[in-house]
Amino acid sequence: YYNLTDTATSISLDLTAGEYKDRFYITFTNSTLGVDDELLNAVQLYEDGQAKELVIKTTQNNTITSVKMYNLLGQEVVSVVGNQKENMRISTQKLAATVYIVKVKTNETVFSKKILITE
């Protein structure tokens, strides 16, 4: 048994030519995949339709280091970097009414969310 994620162990295999049908095994642990609720609630993101602005608010004293918006083709349409604020408002007046993916980086996490910009 070799733990392939253990970088302290050097693995060397000397095998003769042939078929090895029982060489690899998959092991499972009792942990589940998921996202911590604190991370989900670390950033609030919504559109203020009257002001035509995207509103980003952080909780737990996080500061926003960058915000990028992408259209569904993956093209970057908005980029704001280096503001170091807890709350931010970005104008959406020049954006077409469609779905965008907003990527928010804070000092502690990275958060991506789809948002619908309306006219």
Side-chain angles (χ1 to χ4, degrees):
Y1 166 73
Y2 295 102
N3 185 351
L4 297 177
T5 61
D6 185 11
T7 58
T9 304
S10 176
I11 300 171
S12 175
L13 298 175
D14 295 323
L15 302 172
T16 58
E19 290 186 19
Y20 295 90
K21 295 181 181 182
D22 60 347
R23 198 167 103 189
F24 298 104
Y25 297 93
I26 299 175
T27 60
F28 298 93
T29 61
N30 288 332
S31 62
T32 59
L33 295 176
V35 179
D36 189 5
D37 287 338
E38 290 180 20
L39 290 177
L40 287 176
N41 297 326
V43 178
Q44 296 177 353
L45 181 68
Y46 60 92
E47 182 196 15
D48 183 351
Q50 292 181 339
K52 298 282 187 190
E53 292 179 327
L54 179 67
V55 180
I56 306 163
K57 295 182 179 181
T58 62
T59 58
Q60 306 164 356
N61 297 325
N62 289 334
T63 56
I64 300 168
T65 57
S66 71
V67 176
K68 294 186 179 190
M69 289 181 68
Y70 302 92
N71 62 18
L72 293 180
L73 297 174
Q75 299 166 328
E76 184 178 293
V77 293
V78 173
S79 179
V80 179
V81 180
N83 280 342
Q84 301 291 329
K85 296 180 180 178
E86 290 182 10
N87 299 319
M88 187 180 292
R89 296 176 82 88
I90 298 173
S91 175
T92 59
Q93 290 180 348
K94 295 182 180 180
L95 296 176
T98 189
V99 176
Y100 293 92
I101 298 170
V102 181
K103 182 177 181 181
V104 179
K105 287 186 181 180
T106 69
N107 57 333
E108 294 191 9
T109 188
V110 177
F111 177 85
S112 296
K113 183 176 181 182
K114 287 184 188 177
I115 189 149
L116 175 64
I117 302 295
T118 58
E119 290 185 10

